[in-house]
Amino acid sequence: MVNKNTQNFPGIVLAAMAALLATGCDQRKPDGYQGYVEGDFVYMSTPYAGKMTNLHVRRGQQVASHGLLFAVDATEETYAMQHAHAQYESADASLKDLKKGRRPAEINAIRAQLAQAQASAKRSDQQLARDEELFKASIISQAQIDSSRAARAADQAKVEEIRSQLDTAALPARQDQIQSQEAQVQGMRASYGQWQYRVQQKSVTASAQATVVDIFYREGEWVQSNAPVMKLLPVDNVKIKFFVPENDLQKVRAGQSLRLSCDGCQAGLAAVVDYIAPDSEYTPPMIYSNESRSKLVYLIEARPDKATARALRVGQPVEVLL
């Protein structure tokens, strides 16, 4: 009589071995960690309100660093800037004029006046000399000789006055006048710079290479001050987030190179570990024990290179390989 249990023994062994293999496969450590792509968006705006006049980009477009994004009407600010610039140039020209002496034509006119005064003074000297001889001879009175002496003194004083004017004409303006004009020039320059800044702020450029994610205003619409006009994702703001179990945390370090893979992605995608969270996450709601350590995970952030960042999309799942 054949024992049925003995007859089925090989089947039982095979089933047990398959179960063990299946258990071993389930407990095999995965080759990578699941993560996803995240981005730090930048919202572009202008501090001054105005009508949207030019939209230089479209949604989904790649823009270069310092590339034009949009422009808001700056007609009023442009006129104010031109007016301030004209005032600044006028004040600066006055300052330069104060630092110089009189013009050559003016100096020549003063020199001519000096020559006339000197000629008059010479005639007064000659007249006084004749009158003194006549006074000694008692031909003229005391009043006449006093009048000649007064005329001579007046002509000499006139010569000294015009000579002082000539010396002054060759000098620049007084220091306090120059300082006052310099202060006006600085004020005009600041006003011009202020309006120039406002004009520049109404034409917005990208601060770095980025992708235009969304646009909130169109040409012809009124843009409020500081209102987001468009949403950008700079290529340097793309990052990979994934979680590592507590047991594998020692395998990860800052600056470590990682390999990435995702559905439909080309091979060779890479990233570098940029941040390791100091605290665990998803801690189970139970008393900490050795058995619960495997449930602790730590957030890791990695920065892909520019080529990889351009190939990824925010929210896209990726597998991270150490």
Side-chain angles (χ1 to χ4, degrees):
M1 187 175 187
V2 180
N3 193 333
K4 294 182 179 180
N5 291 335
T6 304
Q7 201 173 28
N8 293 334
F9 180 77
I12 295 174
V13 173
L14 291 175
M17 291 178 64
L20 289 174
L21 288 174
T23 304
C25 292
D26 291 340
Q27 293 179 350
R28 182 173 53 88
K29 199 168 194 177
D31 295 330
Y33 305 95
Q34 293 300 316
Y36 59 93
V37 181
E38 191 174 83
D40 294 326
F41 298 102
V42 176
Y43 294 85
M44 305 303 295
S45 64
T46 173
Y48 306 107
K51 184 177 71 174
M52 173 82 74
T53 56
N54 297 98
L55 188 59
H56 299 285
V57 296
R58 64 183 184 279
R59 190 167 58 174
Q61 180 179 337
Q62 299 283 335
V63 294
S65 178
H66 305 296
L68 283 174
L69 299 175
F70 65 91
V72 176
D73 181 56
T75 302
E76 180 181 357
E77 288 81 0
T78 300
Y79 285 142
M81 179 186 69
Q82 293 172 350
H83 178 68
H85 185 258
Q87 289 184 322
Y88 161 66
E89 287 189 334
S90 176
D92 188 58
S94 298
L95 175 62
K96 292 176 180 177
D97 186 64
L98 287 176
K99 291 182 177 181
K100 298 185 296 186
R102 297 279 189 90
R103 291 175 294 181
E106 294 176 330
I107 294 177
N108 290 336
I110 297 174
R111 286 174 178 169
Q113 293 174 6
L114 178 60
Q116 293 175 1
Q118 289 173 337
S120 297
K122 185 176 182 181
R123 285 195 302 269
S124 298
D125 288 341
Q126 293 172 351
Q127 185 63 40
L128 179 60
R130 286 192 298 267
D131 288 346
E132 285 178 346
E133 293 296 331
L134 294 174
F135 179 74
K136 289 179 182 179
S138 301
I139 298 176
I140 62 174
S141 64
Q142 182 67 41
Q144 288 178 322
I145 189 67
D146 290 341
S147 177
S148 295
R149 288 172 179 170
R152 175 176 176 266
D155 288 342
Q156 288 180 339
K158 187 65 174 179
V159 170
E160 294 301 323
E161 177 187 358
I162 297 177
R163 184 177 285 118
S164 297
Q165 291 179 0
L166 183 61
D167 293 339
T168 303
L171 297 174
R174 292 179 304 185
Q175 189 62 30
D176 54 350
Q177 290 180 321
I178 293 176
Q179 290 177 349
S180 175
Q181 189 63 27
E182 285 177 341
Q184 291 187 21
V185 169
Q186 291 177 358
M188 297 298 180
R189 185 188 295 116
S191 178
Y192 168 61
Q194 179 183 16
W195 286 110
Q196 189 178 34
Y197 171 78
R198 291 191 63 164
V199 171
Q200 293 172 350
Q201 289 299 303
K202 286 201 163 184
S203 183
V204 181
T205 60
S207 58
Q209 184 180 4
T211 301
V212 180
V213 178
D214 206 352
I215 299 174
F216 308 116
Y217 288 88
R218 301 297 172 185
E219 291 184 1
E221 293 183 328
W222 184 264
V223 178
Q224 298 294 334
S225 61
N226 298 313
V229 174
M230 60 181 57
K231 178 181 177 182
L232 301 184
L233 178 59
V235 67
D236 293 332
N237 287 17
V238 176
K239 56 187 176 182
I240 308 299
K241 280 190 171 184
F242 64 100
F243 295 88
V244 173
E246 191 265 348
N247 294 334
D248 293 344
L249 188 61
Q250 71 278 3
K251 298 179 181 180
V252 185
R253 65 183 185 280
Q256 181 179 357
S257 297
L258 306 175
R259 290 177 296 145
L260 308 176
S261 64
C262 54
D263 294 339
C265 296
Q266 61 183 2
L269 301 183
V272 176
V273 175
D274 183 64
Y275 171 76
I276 301 175
D279 301 323
S280 62
E281 299 186 26
Y282 303 117
T283 305
M286 61 182 67
I287 298 175
Y288 181 79
S289 64
N290 290 334
E291 290 75 14
S292 65
R293 291 178 62 185
S294 60
K295 298 182 180 180
L296 299 178
V297 292
Y298 290 80
L299 170 66
I300 308 295
E301 291 184 359
R303 296 284 177 176
D305 54 44
K306 294 183 183 298
T308 300
R310 284 191 288 266
L312 299 175
R313 297 291 181 268
V314 173
Q316 182 177 7
V318 295
E319 185 178 9
V320 180
L321 304 174
L322 299 182

